[in-house]
Amino acid sequence: MKLIAKLFDVDSAEPRVVVHRDDCRELGVKEMDRVRLNGASSHVIVVSISDTIVKKGDILIPRTIMSKIGAVDKKPIEVVYSPNPDSVKGIRKKMDAAKLTRDEIHEIVFDILENRLSKIEISAWLTALYINGMDNEEIANFTQSMVNTGEKILFDRTPVFDFHSLGGVPGNKITPIVVSIVAAAGLMIPKTSSRAISSACGTSDFVEVFCKVELEAAKLKKISETVGGVFAWGGSMNIAPVDDMVIDIEYSLGINPRAQMLASILSKKLAMSATHLLVDIPMGAGTKVKTLEEAREYARDLMELGNKLGIRTECAITYGDQPVGNAIGPALEARECIRILEGNAHPASVVEKACDLAGMILEMGGVPDGATKAREILSSGQALAKFRQIAEAQGGKKDLTSEDIELGKYVNDVKAVRSGYVHSINNKDLVAIARAAGAPADKGAGILLLRKKGQRAEKGDILFQIYADNQAKADRARDIAIKLEPLDIEGMLIKKVPNPSALKSI
Amino acid sequence: MKLIAKLFDVDSAEPRVVVHRDDCRELGVKEMDRVRLNGASSHVIVVSISDTIVKKGDILIPRTIMSKIGAVDKKPIEVVYSPNPDSVKGIRKKMDAAKLTRDEIHEIVFDILENRLSKIEISAWLTALYINGMDNEEIANFTQSMVNTGEKILFDRTPVFDFHSLGGVPGNKITPIVVSIVAAAGLMIPKTSSRAISSACGTSDFVEVFCKVELEAAKLKKISETVGGVFAWGGSMNIAPVDDMVIDIEYSLGINPRAQMLASILSKKLAMSATHLLVDIPMGAGTKVKTLEEAREYARDLMELGNKLGIRTECAITYGDQPVGNAIGPALEARECIRILEGNAHPASVVEKACDLAGMILEMGGVPDGATKAREILSSGQALAKFRQIAEAQGGKKDLTSEDIELGKYVNDVKAVRSGYVHSINNKDLVAIARAAGAPADKGAGILLLRKKGQRAEKGDILFQIYADNQAKADRARDIAIKLEPLDIEGMLIKKVPNPSALKSI
């Protein structure tokens, strides 16, 4: 039927047209069914039904779709019922725990890209993926589809080294250090990172404290080829866009299906033309990977998938039971990161992790005894020089120092309520406190740890400091900190175990 | 923070507020997070983020929510971040295939009722339910929660008989016949039915051809107690509303999780205070239940659940490989149904099914040899008298006859393209054709079958007639019918099987 196109000026995560209930009855569409709009070009889109915001005979069309199909405001457009896309069958098949073919997977990925699947269907897809999973052949096809539906960056230099951390451990500010060391050794490492979704600070969140992270593809390519590396935000290019399109839904459901996670990592690396990849798998109570068993499984899968996709992949299982270093939050992490590049030997955990991982990449690139070489590059100041070169190329200040980083001006101390040893640190609680303080949106907000695991604190000692950009947030974060007690302090005697026979007599 | 409430005049299946991106950042909410609105009363609702349709400092609130919380247009209202409801944890637990407690199930049901869960979360819930299922203890708790979150109809008479058909077989117009027979025998049967979702005609769709189906609770109670029965639309009361709130999503995903289906049936019966329930389980290629094994499992579960919930439940597995009777579509089914009550012995399949099922209910009510008694009540005209009494009480014409029913005026014949026997009838194809003709919205639309399984047709004989309210739909349905060939006609020789040794030499 013909309906009059009207502009629907709404920003929605999910583009929809709105059609009057009577017209929907005529078209035979129900809420969440789809129609095809036949303009200069044709487009399939999900329908919302309304009695009030649209008149009978009209159809509200989002601006992006209007221009895509060449529709004109207030002019008629042909609207026909469109059956469910075939990809819905693939989703049903995964609900029934069946293995999907390459074509079925591609249809799903493509229909997500084209907004042909509703959020309800994508939610069911992710849930089915979470519960029923994929084998490595499916994941390799899934990865390839995600790459093919986006932009691919091609370099004139090869090999292309890359690095990824599975995340889940706060304070993991090693990326600029690793990139600077590797690039200083003469290898090219065009590293893209992400922003925080549920964490306190993603790599891009703290890098943009001292330079721009949104790089166009051409600029990223140029800096990488000439300077040797970048610390860019992956979202600034259109690489594997489908992954970004489902992240909101994953976040809302609190799931990150293994197949989605693996395909997400590898598709971004494949789109960056990586030939060699090191994956850091932090393991510990608060991270994505709880046990060595699980970490090994991820490592095996990543290496097998890497082989299938033509990326030589190695993995490092790292200690993730407490934050890496002492700083959590954009400015705090940026300062700690630059300080280490400037020659500070502390926090030792950051130095050690960065050098060991950079060393593995160097060895993949043919450098013998990589970890020693990495330490040399760091201690000699070559890494700092390379870091400054990259930061400047990305629009940062010339001769950047850690003194340039401004922290939040409102600081609350959190003190030990008893004497003893730090038995454990709850990563998730620290993230909640840092977020309450304003991280990652407020660049100055975060946490500076003065005690870490195994260290002794006397009652009244400062355990950590909360930084914030205003007093209200600093106080709110402190209140949460007092409630959560993220650092567990106990004496050496943890629990008295009474004699079982004495127990019986109670 | 305080935002200025503005009326959001949109009809949406899912109520949401719209907040400017900058305010969302301040509140710490992402797309699909929730806020609590603190007005005269407080309400938690999902947030949509916009740059354009809402100004910074304003919040768009749907009309229903405005009045619920006592907010006033253009006046400030307090808006605070609201963490995920606890029910999200229950959904996650079901994703991980764990058994849910009574409280966890109740939280999910209650949060769906209160619009605290987004459609994305409900989709994940239904998908997890579809894949991981529930045991009968969980389903009983689920049922009870669905009852408790809605209206319950209490009768002054007891026992209360009820009847339900799992559906999936077209033309199943037996409900008014069963109710009339049972009520004529002196038992009370306040039967509520549904409208078609994906089928060509639900019971309520054809009953409303001759009387009103939307009855208020008080009226339903009065008619049931005085006349002995009703044929009401379940949706006209607020019984088990949560079930209706998820149907759209189930439909969109093309799934009906077993636990949801069982809880849906039993919650509606429990809300109607049923003490005795007969469930008809049509079995056959096009129905929900494909095999005898599966049908028996449903029967076992329904009886066990009935016991747990205090409803004496019996089941009848019935033949569902082809439509029941010859008519499909509202007016056509209404006419066939009334004709049988008027004394027509045909179609025999309808008479037989209605009497056998009514007989089982009579026996549950202590009437010996129920099926024989049911046939007596039907053939003596007592069922017709009772039917007319009920229809009139529901606002229908006095002394209703089958002649009063008006069929669609546009009829297309579909003829046999070859001679042979009807080997099979595809229920789903018939539904697609009837819907294309306009059923169930167009009351006159549908299909009248002139041949059924096992019958012979010569080339050119009319196999079935398509009825419609206008020529275009009649033609569209005929085109689809010609394409689908829902009646499979073959000679007695179905397939020649060549000698295997001859095959090898090919």
Side-chain angles (χ1 to χ4, degrees):
Chain A
M1 69 193 293
K2 291 268 185 187
L3 295 172
I4 306 296
K6 293 274 173 75
L7 185 65
F8 186 36
D9 196 10
V10 163
D11 246 25
S12 166
E14 174 172 46
R16 290 195 170 203
V17 292
V18 187
V19 178
H20 192 273
R21 193 173 303 276
D22 295 346
D23 293 327
C24 285
R25 200 169 293 133
E26 186 68 22
L27 282 164
V29 302
K30 290 179 180 296
E31 183 84 31
M32 286 171 291
D33 275 352
R34 296 162 184 78
V35 289
R36 173 178 294 280
L37 309 177
N38 290 322
S41 75
S42 162
H43 188 77
V44 172
I45 189 164
V46 173
V47 176
S48 271
I49 301 175
S50 174
D51 293 317
T52 54
I53 63 162
V54 63
K55 275 193 322 202
K56 194 162 167 347
D58 285 358
I59 180 170
L60 304 185
I61 306 176
R63 189 184 299 277
T64 49
I65 308 300
M66 278 284 231
S67 57
K68 184 167 177 190
I69 59 169
V72 181
D73 196 25
K74 304 197 181 85
K75 297 276 178 206
I77 183 148
E78 197 193 15
V79 182
V80 294
Y81 172 76
S82 175
N84 282 355
D86 276 351
S87 55
V88 169
K89 283 183 206 144
I91 296 174
R92 281 294 308 277
K93 209 171 147 186
K94 187 47 81 187
M95 285 189 200
D96 291 328
K99 178 168 176 165
L100 301 183
T101 66
R102 186 195 174 107
D103 286 347
E104 285 165 341
I105 291 169
H106 183 71
E107 258 172 12
I108 293 169
V109 171
F110 188 72
D111 283 346
I112 292 174
L113 180 78
E114 291 287 306
N115 280 309
R116 286 211 195 105
L117 289 172
S118 70
K119 287 203 169 176
I120 287 169
E121 286 154 341
I122 297 172
S123 171
W125 163 243
L126 293 169
T127 305
L129 211 53
Y130 175 79
I131 300 175
N132 289 331
M134 274 183 169
D135 69 18
N136 280 347
E137 194 188 333
E138 287 175 289
I139 298 175
N141 287 327
F142 191 22
T143 306
Q144 202 71 64
S145 286
M146 295 220 282
V147 173
N148 293 346
T149 46
E151 193 176 352
K152 198 165 169 174
I153 315 290
L154 301 168
F155 293 96
D156 296 328
R157 273 178 72 175
T158 182
V160 179
F161 293 86
D162 212 332
F163 166 62
H164 181 82
S165 177
L166 283 199
V169 54
N172 194 26
K173 73 278 296 169
I174 62 165
T175 292
I177 308 173
V178 170
V179 169
S180 301
I181 294 172
V182 172
L187 306 181
M188 184 175 75
I189 179 165
K191 168 81 178 102
T192 60
S193 302
S194 54
R195 296 184 191 277
I197 298 175
S198 54
S199 77
C201 179
T203 294
S204 292
D205 294 311
F206 82 82
V207 170
E208 73 180 345
V209 169
F210 54 79
C211 68
K212 271 174 54 187
V213 294
E214 307 199 9
L215 300 182
E216 280 166 22
K219 187 153 192 194
L220 180 143
K221 177 168 147 59
K222 193 177 159 221
I223 301 175
S224 300
E225 289 175 352
T226 54
V227 186
V230 289
F231 340 114
W233 175 49
S236 48
M237 287 147 300
N238 188 36
I239 53 172
V242 166
D243 186 52
D244 298 324
M245 293 173 77
V246 304
I247 278 179
D248 274 356
I249 298 178
E250 289 185 287
Y251 172 76
S252 159
L253 297 175
I255 57 172
N256 187 357
R258 179 191 186 82
Q260 178 75 38
M261 176 177 160
L262 293 169
S264 162
I265 296 168
L266 290 165
S267 63
K268 286 177 175 167
K269 302 310 176 191
L270 203 56
M272 292 300 292
S273 300
T275 55
H276 295 71
L277 170 65
L278 176 68
V279 181
D280 164 28
I281 306 176
M283 190 196 89
T287 70
K288 287 177 189 166
V289 180
K290 313 286 182 233
T291 63
L292 189 58
E293 178 67 27
E294 220 184 314
R296 280 206 179 114
E297 227 175 275
Y298 271 112
R300 262 196 307 270
D301 283 344
L302 281 161
M303 290 188 285
E304 192 187 321
L305 285 167
N307 279 344
K308 278 184 195 288
L309 296 163
I311 305 176
R312 189 183 147 197
T313 304
E314 292 192 3
C315 295
I317 299 171
T318 59
Y319 179 74
D321 245 358
Q322 64 173 343
V324 179
N326 298 330
I328 299 168
L332 286 158
E333 295 196 36
R335 188 179 66 166
E336 191 170 281
C337 166
I338 301 174
R339 279 191 176 171
I340 287 167
L341 286 157
E342 289 169 345
N344 270 279
H346 291 281
S349 59
V350 183
V351 178
E352 199 177 310
K353 183 171 176 181
C355 289
D356 285 346
L357 295 186
M360 286 181 75
I361 299 174
L362 295 185
E363 287 179 5
M364 288 170 90
V367 178
D369 198 3
T372 308
K373 179 72 183 167
R375 280 179 175 76
E376 276 171 32
I377 291 173
L378 180 62
S379 59
S380 66
Q382 294 170 68
L384 177 65
K386 184 56 73 183
F387 169 82
R388 285 177 168 164
Q389 236 184 316
I390 296 172
E392 196 185 333
Q394 291 189 201
K397 203 183 151 192
K398 200 171 150 66
D399 296 324
L400 184 73
T401 78
S402 56
E403 302 296 314
D404 294 322
I405 308 297
E406 254 183 78
L407 307 184
K409 298 210 168 6
Y410 299 83
V411 182
N412 276 334
D413 294 339
V414 177
K415 295 175 182 172
V417 292
R418 70 188 77 86
S419 299
Y421 295 87
V422 179
H423 276 254
S424 68
I425 296 187
N426 188 316
N427 285 339
K428 286 199 174 163
D429 289 350
L430 287 179
V431 169
I433 295 162
R435 287 181 73 100
D442 297 353
K443 292 298 179 194
I447 291 171
L448 191 62
L449 290 164
L450 304 189
R451 288 290 189 285
K452 295 194 68 182
K453 263 175 95 166
Q455 293 180 336
R456 181 156 180 96
E458 301 306 325
K459 184 176 171 178
D461 282 357
I462 301 175
L463 294 175
F464 56 92
Q465 296 180 302
I466 293 166
Y467 283 73
D469 285 349
N470 69 52
Q471 193 65 50
K473 288 186 185 174
D475 291 350
R476 183 173 68 161
R478 186 199 45 208
D479 294 347
I480 292 174
I482 289 168
K483 199 177 122 206
L484 293 178
E485 290 197 37
L487 275 63
D488 180 32
I489 296 185
E490 307 268 359
M492 289 306 285
L493 177 69
I494 297 182
K495 205 180 191 87
K496 293 184 188 177
V497 182
N499 184 308
S501 61
L503 253 180
K504 275 183 206 144
S505 68
I506 291 168
Chain B
M1 69 193 293
K2 292 268 185 186
L3 294 172
I4 306 296
K6 292 275 174 75
L7 185 64
F8 186 35
D9 196 13
V10 163
D11 244 27
S12 165
E14 174 171 47
R16 292 195 169 203
V17 291
V18 186
V19 178
H20 191 272
R21 193 174 304 277
D22 293 347
D23 293 326
C24 285
R25 199 170 292 132
E26 186 67 22
L27 281 164
V29 302
K30 289 179 181 295
E31 182 83 30
M32 285 172 291
D33 275 353
R34 296 161 186 80
V35 290
R36 174 177 294 280
L37 308 177
N38 290 322
S41 75
S42 162
H43 188 79
V44 172
I45 189 164
V46 172
V47 175
S48 271
I49 301 175
S50 175
D51 294 317
T52 54
I53 64 162
V54 64
K55 275 193 321 203
K56 196 162 166 343
D58 286 357
I59 178 170
L60 304 185
I61 306 176
R63 190 184 298 276
T64 49
I65 308 300
M66 279 284 230
S67 57
K68 184 168 176 188
I69 59 170
V72 180
D73 195 26
K74 304 195 181 87
K75 298 277 177 205
I77 183 145
E78 198 193 14
V79 181
V80 295
Y81 171 75
S82 175
N84 282 354
D86 277 350
S87 54
V88 170
K89 284 183 205 145
I91 296 174
R92 281 295 307 278
K93 212 171 143 184
K94 186 47 78 187
M95 285 189 202
D96 291 327
K99 178 168 175 165
L100 300 183
T101 66
R102 186 194 175 107
D103 287 349
E104 285 165 341
I105 291 169
H106 182 72
E107 258 171 12
I108 292 168
V109 172
F110 188 71
D111 283 346
I112 293 174
L113 180 77
E114 291 286 305
N115 279 310
R116 288 211 193 104
L117 289 172
S118 69
K119 287 204 170 179
I120 286 170
E121 286 154 342
I122 298 173
S123 170
W125 163 242
L126 293 170
T127 304
L129 212 52
Y130 174 80
I131 300 176
N132 289 331
M134 276 184 167
D135 69 17
N136 280 346
E137 194 187 334
E138 288 174 288
I139 297 175
N141 287 327
F142 191 22
T143 307
Q144 201 72 63
S145 286
M146 294 222 281
V147 173
N148 293 346
T149 44
E151 192 176 351
K152 198 166 169 174
I153 315 290
L154 301 168
F155 293 96
D156 296 327
R157 272 177 74 174
T158 183
V160 178
F161 294 87
D162 213 333
F163 167 63
H164 181 82
S165 177
L166 285 199
V169 54
N172 194 24
K173 71 280 294 171
I174 62 165
T175 292
I177 308 173
V178 171
V179 169
S180 300
I181 294 172
V182 172
L187 306 181
M188 186 176 73
I189 179 163
K191 169 81 178 101
T192 60
S193 302
S194 55
R195 295 184 192 276
I197 298 174
S198 54
S199 76
C201 179
T203 294
S204 293
D205 294 312
F206 83 81
V207 169
E208 73 180 348
V209 169
F210 54 80
C211 68
K212 272 175 51 188
V213 294
E214 306 199 9
L215 300 181
E216 280 167 20
K219 186 151 193 195
L220 180 144
K221 177 166 145 61
K222 194 178 156 218
I223 301 176
S224 301
E225 289 174 353
T226 54
V227 185
V230 289
F231 341 112
W233 176 49
S236 49
M237 287 147 296
N238 187 35
I239 53 174
V242 166
D243 185 53
D244 298 324
M245 294 173 76
V246 303
I247 279 180
D248 273 356
I249 298 177
E250 290 185 288
Y251 173 76
S252 158
L253 297 176
I255 58 173
N256 187 358
R258 179 192 185 81
Q260 179 73 39
M261 177 178 159
L262 293 169
S264 163
I265 296 168
L266 290 164
S267 63
K268 288 180 173 164
K269 301 311 175 190
L270 204 56
M272 292 299 293
S273 300
T275 56
H276 295 71
L277 170 65
L278 176 69
V279 181
D280 164 28
I281 306 176
M283 190 195 91
T287 70
K288 287 177 190 165
V289 179
K290 313 285 183 233
T291 63
L292 189 58
E293 180 66 28
E294 220 186 313
R296 281 207 178 110
E297 228 177 274
Y298 270 113
R300 261 197 306 272
D301 283 345
L302 281 161
M303 290 190 283
E304 192 187 320
L305 286 165
N307 279 345
K308 278 184 195 290
L309 296 162
I311 305 176
R312 189 183 148 199
T313 304
E314 293 193 2
C315 295
I317 299 171
T318 59
Y319 179 75
D321 246 358
Q322 65 173 342
V324 180
N326 299 329
I328 299 168
L332 287 158
E333 295 197 36
R335 188 179 68 166
E336 189 170 283
C337 167
I338 301 173
R339 279 192 177 172
I340 286 167
L341 285 158
E342 287 169 347
N344 270 279
H346 291 282
S349 60
V350 184
V351 178
E352 198 177 313
K353 182 170 177 183
C355 289
D356 285 346
L357 294 186
M360 286 180 75
I361 300 174
L362 295 184
E363 285 179 7
M364 288 170 91
V367 178
D369 198 2
T372 309
K373 181 72 183 167
R375 280 180 175 76
E376 277 173 31
I377 292 172
L378 180 62
S379 60
S380 66
Q382 293 170 69
L384 177 65
K386 183 56 74 182
F387 170 82
R388 286 176 167 166
Q389 238 183 317
I390 297 171
E392 197 185 332
Q394 291 189 202
K397 200 183 154 191
K398 198 170 150 69
D399 296 323
L400 184 71
T401 77
S402 56
E403 301 297 315
D404 294 323
I405 308 298
E406 254 181 79
L407 307 184
K409 296 210 168 4
Y410 299 82
V411 183
N412 275 334
D413 295 338
V414 178
K415 295 176 182 170
V417 291
R418 70 188 79 85
S419 299
Y421 295 87
V422 179
H423 275 253
S424 68
I425 296 186
N426 188 316
N427 286 337
K428 287 196 173 165
D429 288 350
L430 287 178
V431 168
I433 296 163
R435 287 180 74 100
D442 298 352
K443 293 299 179 193
I447 292 172
L448 191 62
L449 290 164
L450 304 189
R451 287 289 188 286
K452 294 194 68 184
K453 263 175 94 165
Q455 294 180 337
R456 182 158 179 94
E458 303 305 326
K459 183 174 171 180
D461 282 357
I462 301 175
L463 294 174
F464 57 92
Q465 296 179 301
I466 294 166
Y467 285 73
D469 286 351
N470 69 52
Q471 193 65 49
K473 288 185 185 174
D475 290 348
R476 183 173 67 162
R478 186 202 41 210
D479 293 347
I480 294 174
I482 289 168
K483 198 176 123 208
L484 294 177
E485 289 196 38
L487 275 63
D488 179 31
I489 295 185
E490 307 269 0
M492 288 306 286
L493 177 68
I494 298 181
K495 207 181 190 88
K496 291 184 189 177
V497 182
N499 184 309
S501 62
L503 253 181
K504 274 182 209 146
S505 69
I506 293 170

